Amino acid sequence: FTFGNISSNPIPSWNRGFTAPVIIDYKYTIDQLIKIMSSDTDEFNQYNAAQDLYFNIILGLVEDLSSNRELELDSNFVKGFGELLNNSKIDEAFKAYALSMPGQMDVNEKLSLYSFENVKLAISFVKETLATTFSNDFESLYDRMMDTSFELDAKSMGKRALKNTCLSYLTSSKTPISFKIAKDQYYNSTNMNDEISSLKEIVHNFPEQKSEFILSFYKKWKNEPLVMQTWLSVQASAPYITIDDIKHLEDVDIYDSKVPNFVRSILRTYVRTNPSLVNKPDGSGYKFLVDRIIEIDTYNPSLASGLAKSLNHIKKIDSDRASILKSELNRLLGSKLSKDTFEVVSKNLNG
C-alpha cells in the first residue's frame, strides 16, 4: 500500500481492535511510544506502549545508577504519562493496568546480569517522581472513582482497580495527606479489595504507623484463613522487610507451615517481591530459603521444588553471589531430597 499527502512520518498502531492481542516485535522510538501511550485510541496498544516505556525508562535509570549519574525522568515521558492519567476516554480497568509499573524481577529479566538494588531504586524513583508531579491529578481521579455502594459489575470493579492504583501512587510519596487518604479508606472500606489495598499501602509506605492497622486487621479477620494469608503476604512484600521479619511472620499464631497456601503467602511472596532481600550480598537470603526448602521437602516435595525453582539464576548474578548460591545449592543436594526437588536443584546448578 502507498499513502500520499502525509506531512510527517506515521507511527504504526498494530492489530487494532483484536479480541486476543498479538504482541508485535517492532522497534519504536521512545517518542513514538510516548505518542501511542498518550494519544492512541486502541486501549491495548496504549497499555502496551506504556509498559514498553516503563521498561525503557527504568532500564535507562539502572544504567545511570551503575555509572553514578544523577537520576532524571525524561520530560516528554512525564508529559505523556500525565496525558494518559487524565485521559477520560479510557476504560477504568484498562487505565489501572496501563498506569501500573512492572515488578523488580520483570525488569531484572531484561538485563544480561541482574542488578537487584539498582532496579529497586530505579522503580521507586519513577513512581515517586510521578506521584509527586501529578499528586493533584491522582487525588482528583481517586475521588472520582469513589463508590457510594459496593457493586460487582465490571464498571464498578474497574473503578475500584483504578482508585487503588491511584492510592498506590499517592502513598508512594509518603506525605501526611496520602496517609490520611489511605487511613480513611481502610476504616471506611465496604469490601475486602479496598480494605486490603489500603492496608498494603500503609504497611509498605508508612512503617512507623503500620502497627495499628496490622493489629486491627488481625483482630477482625483472624478466624478467616484465606484472608489471613493475604494479611501475611502484605507484610512479606514490604520493601523494607528483613529476614528476621519474615521469621517473625512464621511465628504468628495463625500461621501453619503444613498448609501450602500459608507457606506460599510468606515464602513465595518473599522470593517474588523482594529479590534484593533474597539475593543479599552476604548470602543470608539464600541460606534462609534453602533451610526452608530442606524442611518443607520432607512433607511437601511439590511445594519445595516450586520454591527451589526461584534459585535458577546462578548465571545471571555477579560472581560473588553466584559462589554463595552455588554453595547453598550444593548444601541442598547434600540433603535427602525428594526426586522432584533434587531434579530442580540439579538443573539450577547447571544453569
Side-chain angles (χ1 to χ4, degrees):
F1 296 93
T2 302
F3 299 90
N5 301 317
I6 298 177
S7 59
S8 60
N9 289 331
I11 302 173
S13 177
W14 302 109
N15 298 331
R16 299 173 59 78
F18 273 34
T19 55
V22 176
I23 298 176
I24 300 293
D25 184 16
Y26 182 84
K27 305 301 181 185
Y28 288 106
T29 66
I30 294 294
D31 287 340
Q32 286 175 329
L33 287 171
I34 291 170
K35 185 66 175 178
I36 295 172
M37 177 183 73
S38 60
S39 303
D40 204 328
T41 55
D42 184 278
E43 292 176 338
F44 176 78
N45 285 351
Q46 279 188 295
Y47 159 79
N48 208 42
Q51 294 302 307
D52 286 347
L53 269 172
Y54 298 148
F55 279 113
N56 275 284
I57 296 295
I58 292 167
L59 289 170
L61 293 172
V62 169
E63 187 175 337
D64 290 339
L65 285 165
S66 300
S67 302
N68 294 314
R69 292 192 291 266
E70 185 176 353
L71 299 187
E72 184 177 359
L73 278 189
D74 184 299
S75 59
N76 289 330
F77 164 70
V78 174
K79 180 182 176 182
F81 181 90
E83 292 174 359
L84 172 67
L85 175 63
N86 290 299
N87 188 335
S88 60
K89 297 179 181 179
I90 306 175
D91 174 80
E92 289 88 356
F94 249 108
K95 185 183 283 191
Y97 280 119
L99 294 174
S100 300
M101 287 191 292
Q104 293 179 46
M105 282 311 299
D106 295 322
V107 177
N108 272 301
E109 289 293 346
K110 301 284 186 180
L111 298 168
S112 56
L113 197 68
Y114 291 165
S115 181
F116 303 108
E117 291 81 8
N118 286 346
V119 166
K120 183 177 182 179
L121 288 170
I123 293 175
S124 294
F125 175 79
V126 174
K127 189 171 185 179
E128 291 169 18
T129 301
L130 293 172
T132 302
T133 303
F134 298 107
S135 58
N136 292 335
D137 304 84
F138 275 116
E139 189 171 346
S140 176
L141 183 56
Y142 175 89
D143 290 339
R144 294 200 302 275
M145 294 300 108
M146 293 291 286
D147 284 323
T148 55
S149 62
F150 176 69
E151 304 292 343
L152 282 173
D153 58 279
K155 182 74 171 177
S156 298
M157 293 171 69
K159 290 177 69 175
R160 282 194 295 276
L162 182 53
K163 176 183 67 177
N164 287 317
T165 299
C166 291
L167 181 66
S168 181
Y169 272 95
L170 286 166
T171 52
S172 72
S173 65
K174 301 173 177 61
T175 62
I177 292 175
S178 65
F179 172 71
K180 183 180 184 305
I181 293 172
K183 179 180 179 180
D184 289 346
Q185 176 171 313
Y186 177 81
Y187 283 117
N188 296 315
S189 293
T190 60
N191 60 86
M192 183 58 67
N193 192 13
D194 282 354
E195 190 170 353
I196 284 289
S197 294
S198 52
L199 175 68
K200 176 184 175 182
E201 300 309 334
I202 290 170
V203 170
H204 286 204
N205 295 292
F206 302 97
E208 294 182 359
Q209 292 102 321
K210 69 177 182 180
S211 297
E212 169 191 341
F213 303 91
I214 290 174
L215 183 59
S216 166
F217 194 94
Y218 169 83
K219 289 180 177 179
K220 183 177 179 181
W221 297 106
K222 63 181 179 180
N223 295 319
E224 299 290 339
L226 291 178
V227 178
M228 295 312 294
Q229 288 160 16
T230 304
W231 177 78
L232 290 168
S233 292
V234 163
Q235 296 175 76
S237 59
Y240 51 80
I241 199 165
T242 66
I243 299 295
D244 286 340
D245 293 331
I246 295 287
K247 293 177 179 178
H248 174 71
L249 289 177
E250 293 176 320
D251 290 334
V252 177
D253 60 350
I254 52 92
Y255 181 73
D256 187 345
S257 63
K258 297 298 192 296
V259 176
N261 281 342
F262 269 114
V263 176
R264 293 186 184 101
S265 69
I266 294 180
L267 295 184
R268 188 168 66 179
T269 300
Y270 160 68
V271 299
R272 287 186 174 182
T273 62
N274 273 304
S276 58
L277 178 59
V278 176
N279 296 274
K280 285 188 68 176
D282 65 3
S284 58
Y286 300 140
K287 182 181 184 303
F288 168 74
L289 186 55
V290 166
D291 287 342
R292 293 301 179 269
I293 292 171
I294 291 172
E295 176 188 348
I296 294 168
D297 192 59
T298 61
Y299 58 84
N300 194 328
S302 176
L303 182 57
S305 62
L307 290 170
K309 288 177 182 177
S310 65
L311 298 175
N312 65 347
H313 51 272
I314 197 166
K315 290 187 176 180
K316 295 205 70 174
I317 53 180
D318 60 80
S319 58
D320 291 337
R321 283 187 173 95
S323 177
I324 297 173
L325 178 54
K326 183 178 181 179
S327 175
E328 288 298 322
L329 289 172
N330 278 316
R331 180 164 72 91
L332 253 180
L333 283 184
S335 307
K336 293 182 179 180
L337 296 178
S338 64
K339 180 181 177 182
D340 288 349
T341 304
F342 182 89
E343 182 178 337
V344 169
V345 176
S346 298
K347 287 182 178 179
N348 290 353
L349 276 168
N350 293 326

